Structures are given as C-alpha cells and as structure tokens.
Amino acid sequence: MSLLKEIQHTAQQVAEAISAVLQIETEIVDNEMTIIAGTGKYKELINMKEEEGQIEAGYLYGRVIRTNQPFFVEDARNDPSYDPSVLTGGTEELAEVCAPIHYEGMVIGVIGLIAFDETQRRSLVMNKLVLLTYLQRMSELLTSKIAEQAALNKWIKTTQKLEVLIGSIHEGIIAIDENGLITNCNETAEQLVHREKQQLIHTPIEQIWPNSPMLEVIQTGKGYIQQEEHYPLDQHEMHFIVTARPIIIQDQVVGVVATFRRMADARRLAYELTSEQKDLYFTEIYGQSRALSLVKKQAEQVARGTSNILITGQSGTGKGMMAAAIHSASNRRSGPFIIVNCGAIPETLLESELFGYASGAFTGARREGKAGKFELADGGTIFLDEIGDLPLHLQVKLLHVLQSKQVERVGSNRLISVNIRVISATNKDLEEMVRTKEFREDLFFRLNVIPLHMPPLSERTEDIPVLMESFLTKYSQMSEHSPLHFSPEVRRAFVSYHWPGNVRELENAIEYAVNMTTSPYIDMESVLPRIRNANSTRLPVMVEADEQPLKAMLQDHERQILLEMLRKYGTGLEAKRIIAAKLDIGLATLYRKIDAHQIIAEEHVT
C-alpha cells in the first residue's frame, strides 16, 4: 500500500516549493517505485514507474529503499549503477542527492534533488550535507502529513462506525449542546418524535420537548435514569421513559445525551422478560364433545375481532385457557396477555394494581410511580378473571377505561391512552348480581358484548377419557414415572364421578394417582378416597345410560376387552391369533380394531 499516494497533492506542493527555493529539480517516489510528485520533466512522469519499477535491480532509488540510507551521485552520466538509461547513454541528469522517507520505522519512499546543468551540479556538490539535512526535514514534513491523514481516516472510520452503531440502537438518541440545541439524533428518535433529522439539528430541545429535564442536567451536571416524561404532539401525547447523562469535558458540562423509548414499548419489553405465560391454542383445549366443540367454534370465530368477551362457567372448566387461546388466535397475539385475578388481590391493592399510581400517591409508593395492568396490556389483551369480585367503586373506573380507552393512575389527573381488548370471566351469575345492585348494569353490558359459556365436565362426560390420557401423559413425564395405564375400574369410576371441580379437579385427581401408584397400572387403591367412595354407591361395572352415548359406551367397552386380552395372552403374533380365535374374529379385524383404539403394543408388555 502506498501511503504517499494518499497525500499526493501535498507531496506535489512540497516538491514545487523545494524547487522554487533551491532552483533545482525535485522528485518523490513511493516504495513501489511510482513517481508521486516532481518538477520539470518529472512532473510529466507522475504516476509512472521510476527505474522500470525494479527495486532489486540495484539502481539508485532501489538501493535507498532496500538499505534505508541516503546517497549522493556526483557524476550520474558515468555511473552505471545510477539509472538503467546510463548503459545506453540516455540519462540527462548530472548529479543527485536523495534520502529515504520514513514512517513508523519503514521506508515508504524516496525524495531526491537532481542537477541538470553544471551550475546545479556544483551547488549539489558544495552543499550536499546541508541539502541532505534539508531533505530529511522535508521527509519529516511529508510523514507528519501522512500521520495527520491516517488520523483523519481513523476518525472518519470511527465516526462512521459510531453512526452505524447509533443508528442500529432501537432506542431513540438525542444529543444537545450546552445551549440546549440538538446536535445529533438517530433514526429511531426521528420516528418517535415524528420529525426528520434535518428538522431537529440545531433546534432548541425546548421546542421539541417543552420543559425538558435535560436542560436541568446542563445546569447541575447530574443525569437521571428511567424517568417518565410526557410531551404534547399535535392532538396526542408522547409518553417516554428517558435516561439522560451529561457530557463533561475538563469539569465543564458541554452537552447532554438522552436515550428514550415509548413507555408502551418499555412496558411490553418488561412483560416479555418477566412473563412465563406461553402461547396456548384451541387445539390444546382437549375434548370432542358437542358442548365443548360448539364453544370452541364460537371462540375461534370471534377471536380476530376487537369486541370485549365475557366467559362464564363453573370453577375449573377452563375459562382461563379459553381466554389465552382467544388471545393467541387474535390479531393481538404479538402483544402482551395480562392476567388479573380480581378475587385474589386484596381490595386495598387492587386499584393500584389495575390502574397504577403516580409518584408520591401514597405512603410506600415508588418515587417514580408504577404502571398498572391496563398500561402493561397496551397493544394486547387483559384477562380479568373473577370479575364478579370487583368492588363497586372500581367498577366505575373500569367502565371509564372501557368507554374512553384511557387510564388515570391513582394520585394523578393525567389520562394515559391504552389500546387493549378486555376478556372477563366469572363463575357467578352476573345478571342476578345486576338485579341485586352488586354489579353495575352498564358495566355488565360493556363486558358482555360476546358471551361464551364453558360447559361443566358433567355435561361432556365423553371428554373424560381423552382428558385422563392427556393428564396421565403430562404427570408421568413430570414425575419421570414409567409409562402408566388406567385399570378398567378406574376408567369407569372417573366417567361416572360427578366432578364438581370440573377439569381442574380431574387434573388434580390424575396428578394424585400418578404420585400414589406403585405399579404400572393406576387402580382404585391409587385414586382419591372421595372418588373411590362415590364410585362404591354406583353399579360396579355399568355407568348410568344417560351419562354417556351408547356408541361411546360400546367403544369404551370394546377397548377394555382388547386391553384385558392383550394383558392376558401377550402382544406377539401367536398371542394375537389366540385372541382373534377367542373373540371369533379374523386376525386382520383384530389388528384393525387395535389400530382404531390407538392401542400401542408396547403399552401392554408388563
């Protein structure tokens, strides 16, 4: 790489200055033998090769570069080591003094003074030591310029890297000087304040953010971290969370740099980092009963809308799962899904949890205030479980949020816009509560735009075997238990039980049985006593006819017969021949029935 090439214009100026002072021609070449600058005939040869570009040929400039030594040629026309053209008698030069140009310990070129007439030759001979010193000073001048250019290139590269880095940051960045004028910003800042960069630069921060605390930082030299700030924007409001730090040089504040993001984005990020709620889909709500299929179909149909939904049903029927599935199927799936159990939070804390509070709102409040659940749900869905337990005075505030899509924090009169969808759930009769004045009628109609009812397990007993298998797989894996199976008696007992706690009670019962069993089968001894005792009051084998469709009963009975036969005779080919013969069916029919009932052979090896 030719460093002299980067300062070629300066090198030419130096060469011309030397010639003007000394009245002698000057030539500068780089370490690749390219003529960088020159006067007289050398000016016409700029960018061409000196000494045919052969550094190793042994001629003058090549020797200077290789040996890092200055040379003086007193009689150039008779010196065969001076220039290739001497051998053919073609050289015009009479004498020359030249010196290497150094940069960071390396030879990067040669600077030479050349005599073309006798007067110039005598001057070189008489003043060669002085001229050599002079050339060394000129060499230092050139290398200082190279160092300056290198520093400039490095600064430009660093600046470009910094610009790319600042531009890639997802937070907005604004810098102001000691006079409060904006000196720089990134693309994110342009988007957040709805102004282009050229409109922002040299604009007082006061015009963009009136009464900005950044101006206090200039005066005090003390920055601040994660502070909420509100600024007007047309008919709306910019709500940011801002961190500002002073720029201090020699104990003087010369500016401030602020990073900021929309408060809604900060809340969403906090939710994503702290929430363990996984996406849940309709396919994960198990059951094929007509009652469940109908409500799932309704929920899928309304999921992509924006209307509020009220889910009713007994405790444990899966209202929370249905709400989560609706959110996952909605256009808000990328936003937060915030769950609030209105019955589990003490009434004294519920208001601040739902609506947030301002700085100093009450004793013990955070100095910076706190966003409520409605603000956290901005851009997503808020699920208000056990809505029937919401106190009357908070029902008024909730109604205001639903009507205006704005939240007012406790201790503040500032309204904060929120973009939310509300899904509520209750196991209470809200219509009866409206009649008894325990629940506001206007709020009920706001919440109950789309009603969904989760059927109790007693109304979908055909789903019980499916749920049993699902929960058995779940808790067997969690407890690292070997594969388990239900005995026919347990299956019958679970199908005939009335399940007042619904799916939640069924799941808990399976978890209990998995932990209590000591064999590969879950028998009646591993079942909760209340289920075992309830079963003893019923017929030991058959369930009541109105509890299950006949087809489902026959299929379940057939499956149990196949399981018992496989356990008794085995799962090999010969065992299956015996089973087919005893059941008076063909072997192919037996295989077809085993596949239809999804009986895996490995399940029956004991």
Side-chain angles (χ1 to χ4, degrees):
M1 181 183 69
S2 175
L3 296 176
L4 288 169
K5 186 73 174 176
E6 295 185 17
I7 59 162
Q8 189 169 22
H9 179 70
T10 300
Q12 181 61 30
Q13 290 179 324
V14 169
E16 290 175 355
I18 293 172
S19 293
V21 172
L22 300 180
Q23 294 298 306
I24 197 167
E25 304 305 337
T26 306
E27 182 181 19
I28 300 173
V29 303
D30 65 11
N31 56 341
E32 297 174 352
M33 301 297 283
T34 301
I35 300 173
I36 298 298
T39 60
K41 78 163 190 174
Y42 301 109
K43 189 172 184 177
E44 300 173 1
L45 301 175
I46 289 175
N47 295 326
M48 299 180 66
K49 292 292 183 180
E50 183 62 271
E51 298 178 2
E52 299 179 354
Q54 300 179 21
I55 296 176
E56 302 295 332
Y59 299 112
L60 180 61
Y61 287 177
R63 293 201 306 275
V64 174
I65 292 173
R66 284 188 294 107
T67 64
N68 191 20
Q69 295 294 325
F71 281 90
F72 176 68
V73 179
E74 189 172 341
D75 185 6
R77 291 185 177 178
N78 296 307
D79 187 345
S81 65
Y82 174 71
D83 186 271
S85 60
V86 170
L87 299 175
T88 59
T91 186
E92 301 176 28
E93 295 88 338
L94 297 180
E96 181 170 353
V97 59
C98 58
I101 303 172
H102 303 105
Y103 181 70
E104 294 185 346
M106 298 183 299
V107 178
I108 62 169
V110 180
I111 181 170
L113 300 175
I114 306 100
F116 281 90
D117 58 39
E118 191 58 33
T119 301
Q120 291 175 337
R121 191 186 74 80
R122 282 197 302 271
S123 178
L124 282 183
V125 172
M126 293 174 59
N127 302 295
K128 62 181 178 182
L129 293 179
V130 174
L131 292 175
L132 187 59
T133 302
Y134 181 73
L135 288 181
Q136 290 172 341
R137 296 293 177 266
M138 292 299 100
S139 171
E140 291 171 1
L141 174 64
L142 291 171
T143 53
S144 67
K145 188 63 179 179
I146 290 173
E148 180 183 323
Q149 185 65 42
L152 177 61
N153 292 342
K154 186 177 181 180
W155 178 82
I156 292 173
K157 185 182 292 186
T158 301
T159 301
Q160 290 173 339
K161 287 182 179 179
L162 186 60
E163 289 287 343
V164 172
L165 178 63
I166 291 174
S168 67
I169 294 175
H170 294 301
E171 289 188 329
I173 297 177
I174 279 184
I176 62 174
D177 62 17
E178 65 271 24
N179 298 314
L181 300 178
I182 298 174
T183 58
N184 204 350
C185 70
N186 67 350
E187 186 176 339
T188 305
E190 295 179 71
Q191 296 169 355
L192 292 176
V193 300
H194 300 273
R195 301 266 188 105
E196 294 183 0
K197 187 171 184 176
Q198 56 264 33
Q199 294 177 295
L200 292 173
I201 301 301
H202 306 309
T203 300
I205 190 67
E206 187 78 8
Q207 290 185 16
I208 308 300
W209 292 350
N211 301 315
S212 170
M214 290 176 69
L215 297 173
E216 295 180 18
V217 177
I218 294 175
Q219 301 299 322
T220 64
K222 296 179 180 179
Y224 56 87
I225 299 175
Q226 303 291 314
Q227 181 171 297
E228 283 191 61
E229 297 177 14
H230 301 261
Y231 301 106
L233 176 66
D234 299 329
Q235 302 301 316
H236 305 286
E237 182 182 66
M238 296 182 287
H239 187 188
F240 297 135
I241 183 164
V242 185
T243 294
R245 302 182 188 279
I247 304 171
I248 300 176
I249 299 177
Q250 294 180 347
D251 297 327
Q252 294 292 320
V253 178
V254 298
V256 180
V257 174
T259 60
F260 62 100
R261 64 174 65 193
R262 289 195 315 130
M263 189 63 183
D265 295 335
R267 289 194 297 260
R268 186 175 294 110
L269 177 61
Y271 169 79
E272 291 172 355
L273 292 175
T274 58
S275 174
E276 296 181 0
Q277 182 78 23
K278 75 176 187 70
D279 292 337
L280 193 144
Y281 302 98
F282 289 112
T283 53
E284 297 175 69
I285 301 177
Y286 297 117
Q288 300 297 324
S289 63
R290 185 177 182 278
L292 182 65
S293 297
L294 178 60
V295 71
K296 284 172 64 175
K297 183 177 180 181
Q298 292 172 337
E300 289 183 65
Q301 184 174 341
V302 302
R304 290 179 176 80
T306 59
S307 301
N308 297 332
I309 298 172
L310 177 63
I311 306 174
T312 58
Q314 296 178 10
S315 178
T317 50
K319 298 187 292 296
M321 291 183 66
M322 183 61 71
I326 291 172
H327 171 73
S328 296
S330 73
N331 297 328
R332 297 171 173 265
R333 67 181 69 89
S334 60
F337 179 65
I338 302 296
I339 301 173
V340 182
N341 190 318
C342 300
I345 302 174
E347 185 175 333
T348 54
L349 299 178
L350 186 56
E351 182 176 12
S352 60
E353 281 295 313
L354 282 173
F355 306 105
Y357 58 80
S359 174
F362 50 83
T363 303
R366 294 181 184 175
R367 183 175 60 82
E368 68 274 18
K370 179 185 176 183
K373 300 297 186 183
F374 282 102
E375 289 183 62
L376 294 177
D378 188 35
T381 304
I382 187 168
F383 174 49
L384 302 177
D385 199 7
E386 298 187 32
I387 189 67
D389 293 329
L390 191 68
L392 277 169
H393 72 282
L394 295 185
Q395 292 179 25
V396 178
K397 292 197 70 169
L398 174 57
L399 180 63
H400 173 75
V401 173
L402 296 179
Q403 290 173 334
S404 67
K405 300 296 184 183
Q406 291 180 316
V407 174
E408 185 177 323
R409 292 186 182 181
V410 177
S412 171
N413 57 5
R414 182 186 298 275
L415 295 175
I416 301 172
S417 297
V418 289
N419 175 17
I420 56 172
R421 185 186 200 180
V422 178
I423 301 177
S424 306
T426 184
N427 58 5
K428 295 184 176 182
D429 187 346
L430 289 189
E431 293 188 59
E432 177 62 27
M433 292 180 69
V434 169
R435 283 192 290 270
T436 59
K437 306 299 183 183
E438 297 175 86
F439 202 87
R440 292 182 62 95
E441 183 178 29
D442 46 6
L443 177 59
F444 171 72
F445 288 121
R446 280 282 181 180
L447 295 173
N448 195 37
V449 177
I450 298 177
L452 297 175
H453 180 72
M454 295 297 293
L457 199 53
S458 59
E459 293 180 7
R460 54 185 188 106
T461 53
E462 59 267 46
D463 290 338
I464 292 176
V466 177
L467 293 168
M468 289 174 66
E469 292 296 338
S470 172
F471 295 141
L472 181 65
T473 300
K474 173 182 176 180
Y475 290 106
S476 295
Q477 292 174 348
M478 288 176 60
S479 61
E480 298 182 355
H481 208 294
S482 57
L484 294 171
H485 312 283
F486 296 107
S487 70
E489 293 80 12
V490 170
R491 291 181 181 277
R492 287 192 291 268
F494 273 52
V495 170
S496 62
Y497 184 63
H498 62 290
W499 299 110
N502 294 291
V503 179
R504 185 183 296 119
E505 183 185 6
L506 173 60
E507 181 174 1
N508 292 343
I510 300 296
E511 184 179 6
Y512 174 88
V514 169
N515 283 279
M516 295 302 294
T517 188
T518 56
S519 70
Y521 300 98
I522 294 178
D523 54 23
M524 291 301 291
E525 294 301 316
S526 304
V527 174
L528 281 164
R530 68 172 180 273
I531 300 175
R532 191 165 59 242
N533 295 336
N535 186 65
S536 65
T537 63
R538 291 176 169 80
L539 293 175
V541 177
M542 297 298 294
V543 297
E544 295 178 15
D546 63 347
E547 290 195 18
Q548 203 173 198
L550 179 60
K551 182 178 179 181
M553 293 172 61
L554 292 173
Q555 288 178 342
D556 187 59
H557 189 57
E558 182 179 82
R559 189 176 193 276
Q560 299 307 318
I561 291 173
L562 292 173
L563 284 170
E564 290 297 330
M565 297 290 271
L566 288 166
R567 292 188 187 110
K568 182 175 180 180
Y569 293 104
T571 58
L573 177 60
E574 191 57 37
K576 288 188 176 72
R577 292 183 191 278
I578 295 172
I579 294 170
K582 288 187 174 292
L583 295 176
D584 195 22
I585 58 176
L587 184 60
T589 301
L590 176 63
Y591 274 106
R592 188 167 60 251
K593 288 182 176 295
I594 289 174
D595 289 340
H597 288 289
Q598 297 182 338
I599 299 173
I600 302 172
E602 287 77 359
E603 290 182 348
H604 313 292
V605 179
T606 61

